[in-house]
Amino acid sequence: MPFSVSWHTLLDHADELADKATLVTPLTHTEFRLSDVQEHRIIIDYVQKDETRPLQREQFKTLFRRIQDEPTNEFELDRLPPDADPYAAVFSLHPRFEIDEDAGLIRESEDALGTQVLEDGTADSDGDEEPRQEPDLQVYSDALLLTDTLERHEMADLTDVETDALVNLYTSLSDVQRSADDLRKEIADVLLSRLHHDRPVSGQFGSVQRTSRRQRTLKDEETVLNALEAAGIDRDQVTSVDRDKVDDALEVTDLSESDLYEIETTEYVRKADVDEETKETRLQGLKDRLAASDEDNEEVQQLQAEIEELENRIEELTSFSSGTAYHTETQRG
């Protein structure tokens, strides 16, 4: 199929795209929209930055030819020139071209599926918003409890916060950290399959980049020492005190630990226990309140006010009061 035919097919599909439709580039995951479709170019507007850019017909033609020059009609996205991935994203609007991010390819296919469109602008055409969904993730529950705890205390000066509140905050932060780290690792494993050639990939809150870390582990001692001796290095130059052997020696001698070790003691706080039952009860209450949080509903507003008043009364009745404060209130009465 000649390029001129493919080009006009692409223009037709670009014209039919909804005004609010957002495309995302396959390499840097930069979001943009089509602002104008012309005979010799397509104008795009970047979502996250105030920049308009024309994508020229001739550049689309070059990409088209490179795809067709390959025996499999596939072209590696890594071979695109810098800042050229918007061309690939727009090309995915054509019914015969698709992008395979996992394989890092753009290909021509009779059965091409999907596009780089994030939003087609039709989901909310009737004015209805999709219902809020609660993610089935541990970090969500932990973060919800932490948010509620933070909202209940004045955090400007931690020295003014009661000890039990600080304990709640500390345990909640610990739970969030653990569950967030677990989810972060899962996300990183998926991202690794989508990042190519150390190119940064941007999102609304920042960017990430594929990188590598070099780790070294010594081979067994005899192999290392023999190799060094063969290179003219004396064994005594590279051997050192073995900590495990020192600890074994301490068990059978009169030496104290301080005779052989520099000892520094550091005090720290660690989470000792978690009251899961209380957490679940509080969490369910928060979820119920979130589900009913319709600011325009007067009955819901009244119910929320009553709940807050009841919580305040419970807190007053169960909070610690000094004897002086008690007698002072009695005398006033």
Side-chain angles (χ1 to χ4, degrees), residues 278-329:
T278 300
K279 282 180 59 179
E280 288 300 322
T281 301
R282 181 63 189 159
L283 181 61
Q284 188 57 52
L286 289 170
K287 291 177 179 178
D288 293 342
R289 289 170 63 184
L290 279 177
S293 60
D294 185 352
E295 296 183 356
D296 297 328
N297 189 316
E298 293 184 1
E299 293 183 2
V300 171
Q301 291 179 354
Q302 183 178 357
L303 176 61
Q304 289 176 334
E306 291 175 357
I307 291 174
E308 186 174 352
E309 181 181 355
L310 178 60
E311 289 174 339
N312 291 336
R313 289 175 59 191
I314 292 174
E315 187 173 351
E316 290 176 1
L317 290 172
T318 58
S319 62
F320 173 81
S321 299
S322 65
T324 303
Y326 175 81
H327 289 300
T328 301
E329 293 295 326

Side-chain angles (χ1 to χ4, degrees), residues 1 5-6 9-10 13 90-98 112:
M1 180 181 298
V5 176
S6 295
T9 301
L10 178 60
H13 282 79
V90 174
F91 232 138
S92 73
L93 298 175
H94 193 290
R96 290 175 57 90
F97 291 86
E98 66 180 356

Side-chain angles (χ1 to χ4, degrees), residues 110-127:
E110 292 284 350
D111 303 319
L113 300 172
T115 68
Q116 293 299 105
V117 177
L118 292 179
E119 177 186 359
D120 61 14
T122 60
D124 60 350
S125 58
D126 57 358

Side-chain angles (χ1 to χ4, degrees), residues 249-294:
L250 280 174
E251 297 291 332
V252 296
T253 66
D254 294 332
L255 293 171
S256 67
E257 190 178 23
S258 60
D259 290 330
L260 304 178
Y261 286 97
E262 294 289 344
I263 301 174
E264 180 181 355
T265 302
T266 303
E267 302 290 340
Y268 67 98
V269 175
R270 72 176 181 89
K271 185 176 65 176
D273 192 18
V274 177
D275 190 335
E276 295 292 348
E277 184 176 352
T278 300
K279 282 180 59 179
E280 288 300 322
T281 301
R282 181 63 189 159
L283 181 61
Q284 188 57 52
L286 289 170
K287 291 177 179 178
D288 293 342
R289 289 170 63 184
L290 279 177
S293 60
D294 185 352

Side-chain angles (χ1 to χ4, degrees), residues 36-281:
D36 194 11
V37 178
Q38 303 174 6
E39 180 62 29
H40 296 289
R41 63 180 185 175
I42 295 175
I43 312 298
I44 67 172
D45 290 331
Y46 288 105
V47 174
Q48 302 299 329
K49 52 186 177 181
D50 186 16
E51 181 181 339
T52 298
R53 178 182 174 189
L55 303 182
Q56 304 294 340
R57 179 183 186 276
E58 289 304 310
Q59 299 299 321
F60 283 102
K61 185 176 182 179
T62 299
L63 178 57
F64 175 82
R65 286 179 173 173
R66 289 188 176 183
I67 296 171
Q68 293 207 326
D69 284 345
E70 297 295 324
T72 56
N73 285 354
E74 296 177 335
F75 184 76
E76 295 178 2
L77 295 170
D78 287 343
R79 294 168 58 191
L80 289 171
D83 299 327
D85 48 346
Y87 285 90
V90 174
F91 232 138
S92 73
L93 298 175
H94 193 290
R96 290 175 57 90
F97 291 86
E98 66 180 356
I99 289 175
D100 184 343
E101 286 200 36
D102 291 337
L105 299 170
I106 178 172
R107 66 168 62 96
E108 182 180 8
S109 170
E110 292 284 350
D111 303 319
L113 300 172
T115 68
Q116 293 299 105
V117 177
L118 292 179
E119 177 186 359
D120 61 14
T122 60
D124 60 350
S125 58
D126 57 358
D128 295 332
E129 295 184 359
E130 292 189 12
R132 177 173 179 168
Q133 294 185 351
E134 175 189 324
D136 185 19
L137 294 170
Q138 184 61 44
V139 68
Y140 174 80
S141 299
D142 292 336
L144 186 59
L145 283 171
L146 174 60
T147 300
D148 177 68
T149 306
L150 289 171
E151 290 176 347
R152 288 172 171 271
H153 302 284
E154 177 57 54
M155 303 298 296
D157 187 354
L158 290 177
T159 59
D160 291 337
V161 181
E162 296 293 334
T163 300
D164 60 341
L166 289 176
V167 171
N168 288 339
L169 284 167
Y170 188 88
T171 53
S172 293
L173 286 165
S174 177
D175 290 341
V176 170
Q177 182 184 34
R178 183 186 65 250
S179 56
D181 281 344
D182 291 342
L183 180 59
R184 180 171 172 264
K185 185 181 184 305
E186 292 180 24
I187 292 173
D189 291 340
V190 176
L191 279 174
L192 277 175
S193 66
R194 302 183 182 180
L195 303 180
H196 309 284
H197 263 293
D198 296 339
R199 295 191 183 187
V201 175
S202 299
Q204 289 180 312
F205 306 132
S207 62
V208 296
Q209 186 172 3
R210 188 186 187 109
T211 186
S212 60
R213 183 182 296 110
R214 186 170 179 264
Q215 295 179 319
R216 300 190 308 166
T217 303
L218 278 174
K219 296 181 179 180
D220 66 90
E221 182 176 313
E222 195 61 29
T223 299
V224 173
L225 292 177
N226 288 339
L228 290 173
E229 276 191 329
I233 304 297
D234 186 71
R235 287 183 174 226
D236 293 337
Q237 291 184 246
V238 293
T239 55
S240 60
V241 176
D242 187 316
R243 179 169 177 166
D244 291 335
K245 293 179 180 179
V246 169
D247 288 339
D248 291 341
L250 280 174
E251 297 291 332
V252 296
T253 66
D254 294 332
L255 293 171
S256 67
E257 190 178 23
S258 60
D259 290 330
L260 304 178
Y261 286 97
E262 294 289 344
I263 301 174
E264 180 181 355
T265 302
T266 303
E267 302 290 340
Y268 67 98
V269 175
R270 72 176 181 89
K271 185 176 65 176
D273 192 18
V274 177
D275 190 335
E276 295 292 348
E277 184 176 352
T278 300
K279 282 180 59 179
E280 288 300 322
T281 301

